[in-house]
Amino acid sequence: MKNWLMGAAAALVIAAAPTASLAETIRVTLQLPETHSLGKNWKAFAKIVEEKSGGDLEIQLFPSAQLFKDKEVPGAVGSGAIEAGSAFIGRFAGSVPAVDVVAIPFIFDGEAHIRAAVAPGSELRKTIDGAILKETNNKVLWWQAFGRNIYLNNESAIAVPADIKNKKVRTYGKVHGWTVEALGGAPTLMSGSKQFLAYQQGAVDVGMTGASAVKSRKLYEVMDHMTLTFDAAIEFVAIINNDFYNGLSDEHKAIIDDAAKEVEQLLRDEIYAEEAQTVAEMKDKMTVVELSDAQRAAWVEATAGVVQRFIDETGDVGAAAVAAVKAAK
């Protein structure tokens, strides 16, 4: 009996003692399910990091806004309430207004221009990522592509700027609102999750969203036209608390940085392929409108003033961001 008690006590001591083999856990807050492209992107990152670290780094995902809502993520990660997460880049606009440069209408000429402008190490990334780090203590690990902006409506096609005039338009950021105003419409800021009911109930006349959302949120059930303006890029950012990151070993930092570059490219390739596939599928469910060169030129002309408004509102950092985008052509 005495030997059993001594053995049990020893076991308890051993169990309670800290051990160097315990993994460093990185908790990640996500707004979307793990099955969504952004969730899969984090799972791919986790697989690489955990394998290359030999299990010393462990990624723990909390999907579907279990812990924090999208607008809370920058503050939660920056304060260290959680180690990492993903957030729509526009959520940083309060601290870093220049992040909305990607929402300026037609600032990008096309997919290749977006890729060049937002590539790791680009001037735009240095400007934006550096400002986010300085102002919020969030270190950007990688940008998560979400596709490009399109418009939705019912009954008649949106093809020229005049088709937006006097229409109430769902938007998801300040600069998108400026775009709608430039087109003569009335912007209504609305979260993505509220779109379906808003369109179904006629709360707005026109929708603004990403092409992939038309399929994932089944917006084709409540809107019958989709116009491929592709006028702005929709980007999320994968972020980590900078203090936590700096506390990691150089080896673990390198593993994380390399994995981030790998999964960023994977997602960008996948999202544009998915966007093209979604557009093709939606042609069987709704009228898909592709702008002619003349129509696109009319949209560009109508919204040209948004660039200067952006620079006026965001100052030197915003001007630098605009210059960086234009230089990437």
Side-chain angles (χ1 to χ4, degrees), residues 9-191:
L12 285 172
V13 170
I14 292 171
T19 173
S21 64
L22 289 177
E24 183 84 67
T25 301
I26 303 175
R27 297 167 302 157
V28 181
T29 177
L30 304 175
Q31 299 305 298
L32 295 155
E34 290 183 49
T35 54
H36 187 274
S37 57
L38 298 192
K40 291 178 181 177
N41 193 226
W42 268 104
K43 289 177 74 174
F45 173 81
K47 186 174 186 295
I48 295 169
V49 167
E50 291 174 355
E51 287 182 353
K52 289 190 174 181
S53 70
D56 289 341
L57 290 174
E58 178 185 12
I59 311 299
Q60 189 174 7
L61 303 181
F62 293 88
S64 304
Q66 291 178 29
L67 301 183
F68 301 98
K69 296 178 181 178
D70 189 43
K71 64 181 180 181
E72 299 170 335
V73 174
V77 175
S79 68
I82 193 167
E83 289 77 39
S86 281
F88 172 52
I89 197 168
R91 291 301 186 189
F92 289 91
S95 302
V96 185
V99 298
D100 271 340
V101 66
V102 297
I104 295 175
F106 305 103
I107 195 169
F108 298 109
D109 286 340
E111 180 187 329
H113 187 191
I114 296 173
R115 285 178 179 272
V118 306
S122 68
E123 286 304 312
L124 179 64
R125 287 288 294 273
K126 291 176 185 176
T127 298
I128 297 298
D129 294 4
I132 288 176
L133 177 60
K134 178 182 178 181
E135 299 297 332
T136 71
N137 200 41
N138 284 273
K139 178 180 174 59
V140 175
L141 293 176
W142 75 94
W143 283 33
Q144 295 183 296
F146 198 79
R148 294 172 289 178
N149 187 65
I150 55 90
Y151 286 78
L152 301 170
N153 74 309
N154 280 318
E155 298 180 4
S156 60
I158 291 174
V160 295
D163 295 329
I164 298 292
K165 191 173 183 179
N166 298 323
K167 300 289 178 63
K168 187 181 288 187
V169 184
R170 177 262 170 168
T171 61
Y172 49 95
K174 180 187 287 187
V175 175
H176 299 112
W178 296 351
T179 299
V180 171
E181 289 172 353
L183 296 168
T188 301
L189 192 63
M190 182 186 299
S191 66

Side-chain angles (χ1 to χ4, degrees), residues 139-300:
K139 178 180 174 59
V140 175
L141 293 176
W142 75 94
W143 283 33
Q144 295 183 296
F146 198 79
R148 294 172 289 178
N149 187 65
I150 55 90
Y151 286 78
L152 301 170
N153 74 309
N154 280 318
E155 298 180 4
S156 60
I158 291 174
V160 295
D163 295 329
I164 298 292
K165 191 173 183 179
N166 298 323
K167 300 289 178 63
K168 187 181 288 187
V169 184
R170 177 262 170 168
T171 61
Y172 49 95
K174 180 187 287 187
V175 175
H176 299 112
W178 296 351
T179 299
V180 171
E181 289 172 353
L183 296 168
T188 301
L189 192 63
M190 182 186 299
S191 66
S193 61
K194 294 182 179 179
Q195 283 184 92
F196 189 95
L197 283 178
Y199 300 156
Q200 185 180 56
Q201 297 172 359
V204 293
D205 306 304
V206 178
M208 179 189 278
T209 190
S212 62
V214 179
K215 178 181 178 180
S216 63
R217 297 186 185 278
K218 298 184 178 180
L219 302 181
Y220 56 84
E221 294 183 358
V222 288
M223 289 293 207
D224 57 25
H225 282 71
M226 176 168 68
T227 301
L228 308 180
T229 52
F230 290 153
D231 53 303
I234 306 172
E235 300 284 332
F236 280 63
V237 283
I239 49 178
I240 191 168
N241 176 271
N242 191 52
D243 299 325
F244 176 83
Y245 175 85
N246 285 334
L248 297 173
S249 68
D250 289 344
E251 179 186 358
H252 286 171
K253 287 178 187 175
I255 289 171
I256 286 173
D257 293 345
D258 290 344
K261 289 178 183 177
E262 183 174 343
V263 299
E264 176 168 353
Q265 186 61 47
L266 284 173
L267 178 60
R268 197 159 295 277
D269 291 342
E270 290 170 1
I271 208 70
Y272 288 123
E274 179 185 323
E275 185 178 76
Q277 182 180 352
T278 297
V279 169
E281 290 180 17
M282 291 305 102
K283 288 181 178 179
D284 292 331
K285 300 178 181 295
M286 59 200 310
T287 301
V288 175
V289 181
E290 299 184 55
L291 301 182
S292 66
D293 290 343
Q295 289 169 338
R296 181 170 294 276
W299 281 76
V300 171

Side-chain angles (χ1 to χ4, degrees), residues 301-315:
E301 181 180 1
T303 59
V306 176
V307 178
Q308 190 57 51
R309 184 174 178 179
F310 177 82
I311 293 173
D312 291 343
E313 291 254 352
T314 59

